[in-house]
């Protein structure tokens, strides 16, 4: 679940090493991190702008594979996984 | 009229030394080609002429600033706050939750950004954020409430992932509080 790739993004505390951020270590991708930051920020917006902001929340959908008239698999897809 | 003789120094397209036989009633070609810089966008020329920084500040759903000419933009880089002036060296900066401050002369616009990147090019700056909120639109009560909720979740988290998610909230809300109180 935790891939390499952008593991070292972010400041390394001055040591010169690219240390993985705590959320990366805990199994989170940058995509989820970025969208989560945005979700928290959107929640703390004043009423006027809040409803407009709510529309921008990430999406979730269910993908289902069918065979011979019956669903054989079901998968929840989230934009923030 | 007669013909005059110009020697180009290779600044025009094509390079090398160019010799132009001039025309008295100089046609478009003759008069404008010597020493002409490469063709570019009018907006780039405007920026270079006025010594301002060309700024694009975008979020996924819209451009907040599109080819805007500003004096300076201050971004919250992951390794520190960066002030970007015109002709800054090209660089890429990851942004942490914090304030992007755009300066026009004596006026400053401040936006809280949740995260993102700033790409500084030789002729412009692109600041990309997932969410950007004008600082005056932040609700302080909601920030305090969110912060205490996240702190409670973090201390009672079932696993590392839940704890990390709560910690992100703590970081974001701390940054929002700092954004409101700094002025």
């Amino acid at each position: 679940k935790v891939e390499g790739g952008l593991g070292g993004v972010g400041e390394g505390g001055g040591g010169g090493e690219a240390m993985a951020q705590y959320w990366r270590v805990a199994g989170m991708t940058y995509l989820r991190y970025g969208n989560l930051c945005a979700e928290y920020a959107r929640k703390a917006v004043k009423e006027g702008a809040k409803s407009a902001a709510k529309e921008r929340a990430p999406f979730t959908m269910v993908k289902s594979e069918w065979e011979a008239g019956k669903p054989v698999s079901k998968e929840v897809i989230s934009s923030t996984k | 009229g007669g013909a005059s003789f110009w020697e180009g120094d290779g600044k025009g397209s094509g390079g090398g030394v160019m010799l132009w036989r001039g025309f008295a009633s100089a046609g478009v070609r003759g008069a404008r080609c010597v020493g002409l810089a490469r063709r570019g966008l009018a907006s780039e020329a405007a920026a270079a002429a006025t010594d301002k920084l060309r700024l694009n500040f975008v979020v996924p759903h819209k451009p907040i600033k599109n080819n805007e000419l500003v004096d300076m933009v201050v971004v919250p880089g992951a390794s520190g706050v960066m002030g970007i002036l015109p002709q800054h060296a090209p660089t890429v900066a990851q942004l942490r939750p914090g304030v992007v401050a755009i300066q026009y002369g004596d006026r400053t616009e401040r936006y809280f950004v949740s995260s993102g990147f700033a790409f500084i090019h030789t002729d412009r700056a692109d600041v990309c954020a997932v969410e950007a909120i004008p600082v005056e639109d932040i609700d302080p009560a909601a920030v305090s409430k969110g912060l205490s909720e996240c702190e409670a979740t973090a201390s009672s988290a079932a696993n590392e992932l839940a704890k990390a998610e709560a910690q992100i909230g703590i970081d974001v809300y701390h940054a929002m509080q700092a954004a409101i109180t700094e002025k």
Side-chain angles (χ1 to χ4, degrees):
Chain A
K1 265 162 254 177
V2 180
E3 298 290 346
L6 271 180
V9 172
E11 77 268 54
E17 287 173 12
M19 219 196 90
Q21 301 245 357
Y22 63 87
W23 43 266
R24 173 81 61 189
V25 171
M28 202 185 299
T29 63
Y30 180 81
L31 183 60
R32 172 103 181 111
Y33 165 76
N35 284 333
L36 201 50
C37 285
E39 258 179 68
Y40 284 124
R42 275 193 280 266
K43 281 189 202 156
V45 170
K46 284 183 184 157
E47 268 320 306
K50 200 165 198 155
S51 35
K54 268 206 165 33
E55 299 163 10
R56 299 197 286 267
F59 71 90
T60 303
M61 64 190 221
V62 176
K63 174 180 161 186
S64 188
E65 304 228 353
W66 290 61
E67 227 172 276
K70 292 209 163 95
V72 295
S73 77
K74 192 172 162 186
E75 186 194 336
V76 175
I77 299 175
S78 165
S79 67
T80 61
K81 249 215 194 117
Chain B
S4 48
F5 190 86
W6 292 314
E7 191 173 317
D9 62 353
K11 282 212 194 92
S13 59
V17 171
M18 292 181 299
L19 301 180
W20 289 95
R21 200 164 281 274
F23 305 92
S25 53
V28 170
R29 189 160 47 102
R32 294 206 196 144
C33 288
V34 175
L36 182 69
R38 64 166 181 80
R39 294 174 59 131
L41 297 171
S43 55
E44 288 176 17
T50 60
D51 241 345
K52 294 217 184 278
L53 173 68
R54 190 153 66 96
L55 172 69
N56 291 315
F57 178 26
V58 300
V59 288
H61 55 276
K62 72 172 181 191
I64 298 177
K65 297 290 175 191
N66 187 4
N67 270 333
E68 196 90 355
L69 296 180
V70 305
D71 293 325
M72 177 168 77
V73 61
V74 180
V75 301
S79 39
V81 175
M82 290 174 67
I84 313 299
L85 291 160
Q87 272 120 49
H88 192 284
T91 189
V92 172
Q94 185 185 3
L95 304 182
R96 57 181 152 80
V99 174
V100 167
I102 304 168
Q103 278 186 27
Y104 303 84
D106 52 357
R107 179 169 64 94
T108 303
E109 287 181 28
R110 299 172 74 237
Y111 295 83
F112 177 81
V113 298
S114 61
S115 68
F117 285 85
F119 302 94
I120 318 299
H121 305 269
T122 50
D123 58 345
R124 75 182 188 281
D126 296 334
V127 179
C128 312
V130 179
E131 192 60 69
I133 303 161
V135 168
E136 54 272 11
D137 285 350
I138 298 178
D139 182 356
V143 174
S144 306
K145 179 162 170 269
L147 180 58
S148 29
E149 278 173 10
C150 285
E151 282 170 338
T153 309
S155 51
S156 65
N159 55 37
E160 279 305 307
L161 188 59
K163 186 156 188 215
E165 293 186 349
Q167 183 62 45
I168 291 171
I170 294 172
D171 292 346
V172 170
Y173 289 128
H174 272 148
M176 288 181 110
Q177 282 184 333
I180 307 172
T181 53
E182 278 171 20
K183 209 25 183 139

